[in-house]
Amino acid sequence: GAVVSQHPSRVICKSGTSVKIECRSLDFQATTMFWYRQFPKQSLMLMATSNEGSKATYEQGVEKDKFLINHASLTLSTLTVTSAHPEDSSFYICSASTGLTGGNEQFFGPGTRLTVL
Amino acid sequence: AQSVTQPDIHITVSEGASLELRCNYSYGATPYLFWYVQSPGQGLQLLLKYFSGDTLVQGIKGFEAEFKRSQSSFNLRKPSVHWSDAAEYFCAVAANEKLTFGTGTRLTIIP
């Protein structure tokens, strides 16, 4: 149980294009979903928190107009990197929480490797 | 604000030897603590978690961790490592629905 999927697992795009990454909770309803960014050999940095049906809350320093997050249902959240540039190349990981377990345990997706040429 | 420190960036251990990965946290209230493992190019897998109760928690793959409030620590241990344990290990503390991760410890296993 508590499986989270991400699609695509890997994407390569040209500079200036937009890329959409999907995050799905497969066997549970996620009241909250999180998006993280991880640079090579570094830790995960929280980008934003989204609750179903409401606007995402972005961490300080994250451009909300560049990283568009939509949490349209209790099982799906999307991250769109708009007008991507090489510096946006990174590993993006989503997680989902039911809000029911202690500490709001998060279940992580396998990640999406974005390469912007 | 909460924070997590993993003082060891890289640890090398012989296969079959014991392992201890250090984690120190800073948080004003009772923490929710986690250890995750990440293989290259993969997402995070939860090894174990501490919410309350018994301070020695057992996890998957033979891992355990001990919560020591007096030392603000939550060190991860395994009595005998296997080559498949080579990975990146992250300690994390939860507060206000958010996870704060340490910088990670890369574990290398030598034959």
Side-chain angles (χ1 to χ4, degrees):
Chain A
V3 178
V4 176
S5 69
Q6 279 184 244
H7 179 79
S9 59
R10 185 181 296 266
V11 57
I12 301 173
C13 69
K14 293 182 179 180
S15 185
T17 61
S18 294
V19 174
K20 180 183 285 188
I21 303 170
E22 290 187 349
C23 176
R24 293 181 184 272
S25 57
L26 299 184
D27 51 4
F28 67 100
Q29 292 186 325
T31 55
T32 307
M33 287 186 168
F34 305 83
W35 287 95
Y36 296 84
R37 185 173 181 177
Q38 185 180 31
F39 289 106
K41 300 187 186 301
Q42 294 189 27
S43 188
L44 283 75
M45 301 302 295
L46 180 64
M47 299 174 65
T49 303
S50 72
N51 292 291
E52 184 262 342
S54 60
K55 290 184 179 180
T57 301
Y58 291 81
E59 295 299 299
Q60 191 172 9
V62 178
E63 299 176 62
K64 61 181 180 181
D65 294 330
K66 182 167 190 60
F67 298 100
L68 301 179
I69 292 172
N70 183 276
H71 193 162
S73 75
L74 285 172
T75 59
L76 173 64
S77 177
T78 59
L79 168 68
T80 301
V81 184
T82 62
S83 186
H85 288 91
E87 56 266 29
D88 299 323
S89 298
S90 190
F91 193 54
Y92 293 87
I93 303 176
C94 73
S95 70
S97 169
T98 63
L100 298 177
T101 58
N104 292 312
E105 181 179 347
Q106 297 178 25
F107 304 96
F108 286 82
T112 296
R113 173 76 59 193
L114 171 63
T115 303
V116 185
L117 303 176
Chain B
Q2 66 273 15
S3 66
V4 177
T5 301
Q6 293 181 247
D8 304 306
I9 296 174
H10 184 201
I11 284 182
T12 300
V13 177
S14 297
E15 189 169 13
S18 63
L19 170 71
E20 182 170 33
L21 302 182
R22 296 184 290 167
C23 172
N24 293 96
Y25 68 91
S26 174
Y27 184 56
T30 300
Y32 295 129
L33 296 162
F34 304 82
W35 273 101
Y36 289 91
V37 61
Q38 183 181 35
S39 297
Q42 301 296 314
L44 274 67
Q45 181 181 23
L46 179 67
L47 288 175
L48 46 77
K49 59 192 177 188
Y50 171 78
F51 290 162
S52 64
D54 193 348
T55 56
L56 184 64
V57 293
Q58 302 297 321
I60 63 171
K61 304 185 179 185
F63 286 93
E64 67 177 26
E66 186 171 13
F67 170 61
K68 292 186 178 180
R69 184 186 299 275
S70 61
Q71 298 177 19
S72 298
S73 69
F74 189 55
N75 294 347
L76 182 71
R77 301 194 293 250
K78 186 170 184 177
S80 176
V81 297
H82 187 262
W83 63 267
S84 60
D85 293 324
E88 189 87 19
Y89 291 80
F90 292 97
C91 181
V93 62
N96 300 321
E97 289 193 330
K98 296 181 181 180
L99 278 177
T100 299
F101 288 87
T103 49
T105 297
R106 183 160 61 94
L107 176 63
T108 298
I109 308 295
I110 55 177

